Amino acid sequence: MPTISVDKEALFAALGQQYTTDEFDELCFEFGIELDEDTSLTVPSKPDGTRDPDQLKIEIPANRYDMLCFEGIALMLQIFQGKKSSPKYRLVPPPSGQLEKVTILEDTMKIRPYFSSAILRNIKFTQARYDSFIALQDKLHQNLARQRTLVSIGTHDLDTLKGPFTYEALPPEKINFIALNQTKKMNGHELMKHYESEKHLSKYLHIIRDSPVYPIIYDSNRTVCSMPPIINSDHSKITLDTKNVFIDVTATDKTKLDIVTNIIATMFSQYTQEPLTVEPVEIVSAHNHESRQVPDLTPREMQAEVGYINACCGLDLDASTICSLLEKMSHNATPSKESPNLVDVHIPPTRADILHQCDLMEDVAIAYGFNNLPRYFPSKSGTVAKALPVNKLGDIVRLEAAMAGWSEVMPLILCSHDENFKFLNRRDDGSTAVKLANPKTAEYQVVRTSLLPGLLKTIRENKSHSLPMKVFEVADVVFKAPELERKARNERHFAAAWCGKSSGFEVVHGLLDRILAMLRCKFLISRTESGGDADGYWIEETEEETFFPGHAASIWTRASGKEQIIGIFGILHPSVLKCFELGYPVSTLEINLEVFL
């Protein structure tokens, strides 16, 4: 969980009350956060008797992006204690009535396709507010934005720029500007070279470095605002004297784009001349139909069942009481007119963590007080749990293989590209294996598409054990699946490997027969047995470069007239043994278990 450091004196002043460390620790516990450290108790004074301002280090749940800064923590605790009502954020156009406009060009689809923005007009910065503003951006970058790969934020002094703006993608040699806190104008390639040795920014260079185009934001005078996600321009940097802040947010994930824009705009809208107001920006993005006005601060509407909340919490609250508790967690809630068993909830734009009524139930439990919930042994379970069919099938196969005298192993699901393909004499067609975009070591480059590399590496690392070695694994392999939303699919496989002074072909064949007999899959002598329409399995000789020529067989099944290959077994080719540094014959078996579900 992220840890946020806040000024102790300033936070207690915002809460309107002084606390002992124990009292504040209890308040944090009640709200669902944790006081990690009070530096007034742990950090000694300096030799001259002075000390830095005392800090409270608070652990925040990973999904509470609205509490990644002093402003969010103070606001949520004030609402929880009933000292302040949930803020009503408003979009207010500029006095001229003409919104700033940002035009998105189509080439940005090649690199960072999504853009959002907001303006904080007539904001008043102090040093503490400025530091918190910068710190919130860093926390969002490190957590929700996944080190700027998904989202990046840029902030600018609007008075140094002139709209309308354009968001473009250009070759790096065509980009020239003076980067933040620099004095020399550099192009895209020079900037990459310059920041290679910079501790803070070097870790972000890989995001766009190998792209033929870099994202860039210009104002109407072709003055560079920023080159996301790397660096802003020195021309538009914000200072304590900045009055109008232009926020740009670029992303590869639209959902997180909107979350980040809402958080950064709302948290600091309390410091504008007209508090809780944000100036919207018009986005023109005709090529992908994303033209709109941003940010959208409209509260989301959701319904929660009174019976569900009471059943989960062990309470007997009416709808009005539940609404009062939800208001302590910054929601606006009213009993529903549709049914006495429903409450209508308006979720503020800062609460992106609310996705389901179970999240509202948790908020009710927090507001009611976990320590106040009744303690009793339930007469019935709140859930109905059972093993997933694929897991149950895997457990059955594990048990049968273990009872046959084989030892289960559990290698890692990641392996090197060579282990998955070259070492097995298999070719990568580019459409099979899921590859890591930025692997840390050559050992972990792809998600395995076969269980064999893990089994063979296990045997290699246990050469000192007596022969024969009989090992098996029941686990997932992963294949690319562009037609699915997540672009990949898991498949549960069973694999076994025999290593000994003889080939062991008949041993793995026997294990195959035992496993399939246990799964009530009848053995057929050939495809045409019983007229070619009987359900069961049979084997056919096959040639695959992983195995010794003439010593491999594919495993076929027929169910309800549908025939398919579910696996293969055989004696490994000498070149495979050499790649895995194995000095004895090895026979392997691998089948897809999901066909038996």
Side-chain angles (χ1 to χ4, degrees), residues 145-172:
R146 296 291 186 271
Q147 302 283 352
R148 303 192 189 183
T149 56
L150 301 180
V151 185
S152 64
I153 310 162
T155 52
H156 313 276
D157 187 336
L158 182 60
D159 295 329
T160 66
L161 303 169
K162 182 180 180 181
F165 300 86
T166 59
Y167 174 45
E168 308 176 20
L170 298 175

Side-chain angles (χ1 to χ4, degrees), residues 530-541:
S530 301
D533 57 1
D535 288 352
Y537 79 97
W538 68 95
I539 62 175
E540 294 182 2
E541 182 178 348

Side-chain angles (χ1 to χ4, degrees), residues 306 309-310 315-328 333-335 343 364 367-368:
V306 173
I309 293 174
N310 283 328
L315 301 172
D316 187 20
L317 306 176
D318 58 30
S320 297
T321 304
I322 288 176
C323 291
S324 299
L325 294 173
L326 287 172
E327 287 175 0
K328 291 180 65 176
T334 56
V343 293
V364 169
Y368 188 85

Side-chain angles (χ1 to χ4, degrees), residues 26-195:
E26 182 63 24
L27 173 62
C28 290
F29 174 79
E30 291 175 357
F31 187 70
I33 57 181
E34 182 177 349
L35 177 61
D36 188 53
E37 182 184 352
D38 181 349
T39 61
S40 65
L41 304 178
T42 59
V43 178
S45 300
K46 296 178 181 179
D48 60 2
T50 62
R51 58 183 298 120
D52 293 328
D54 294 331
Q55 300 286 306
L56 296 172
K57 297 183 179 181
I58 304 171
E59 284 192 8
I60 304 298
N63 62 346
R64 288 302 301 268
Y65 316 117
D66 57 318
M67 297 184 69
L68 292 176
C69 60
F70 167 87
E71 289 73 16
I73 294 173
L75 176 63
M76 292 303 125
L77 291 178
Q78 286 174 322
I79 296 173
F80 180 70
Q81 294 180 304
K83 297 178 179 179
K84 183 178 285 189
S85 59
S86 180
K88 306 293 191 297
Y89 301 104
R90 296 183 297 119
L91 294 178
V92 176
S96 65
Q98 185 68 36
L99 298 182
E100 291 288 358
K101 181 185 295 185
V102 181
T103 302
I104 317 300
L105 301 191
E106 188 172 359
D107 281 348
T108 57
M109 296 293 291
K110 302 174 182 177
I111 181 70
R112 293 178 81 81
Y114 299 113
F115 184 93
S116 187
S117 185
I119 293 173
L120 296 175
R121 185 75 69 173
N122 296 316
I123 191 170
K124 182 174 178 59
F125 279 122
T126 63
Q127 187 64 53
R129 293 173 183 178
Y130 178 86
D131 292 343
S132 182
F133 188 54
I134 300 301
L136 175 59
Q137 295 175 56
D138 286 340
K139 288 294 183 182
L140 289 170
H141 280 151
Q142 301 307 314
N143 293 278
L144 178 64
R146 296 291 186 271
Q147 302 283 352
R148 303 192 189 183
T149 56
L150 301 180
V151 185
S152 64
I153 310 162
T155 52
H156 313 276
D157 187 336
L158 182 60
D159 295 329
T160 66
L161 303 169
K162 182 180 180 181
F165 300 86
T166 59
Y167 174 45
E168 308 176 20
L170 298 175
E173 61 271 13
K174 293 186 178 181
I175 296 172
N176 285 277
F177 68 101
I178 300 175
L180 184 64
N181 298 326
Q182 300 297 316
T183 56
K184 178 184 175 182
K185 182 177 287 190
M186 291 178 276
N187 65 28
H189 291 307
E190 291 169 336
L191 284 168
M192 290 294 164
K193 187 70 174 176
H194 176 77
Y195 286 115

Side-chain angles (χ1 to χ4, degrees), residues 505 540-553 569-571 573:
F505 180 87
E540 294 182 2
E541 182 178 348
T542 188
E543 292 294 333
E544 185 176 324
E545 294 182 11
T546 302
F547 300 98
F548 202 83
H551 291 75
F569 72 101
I571 304 172
H573 196 281

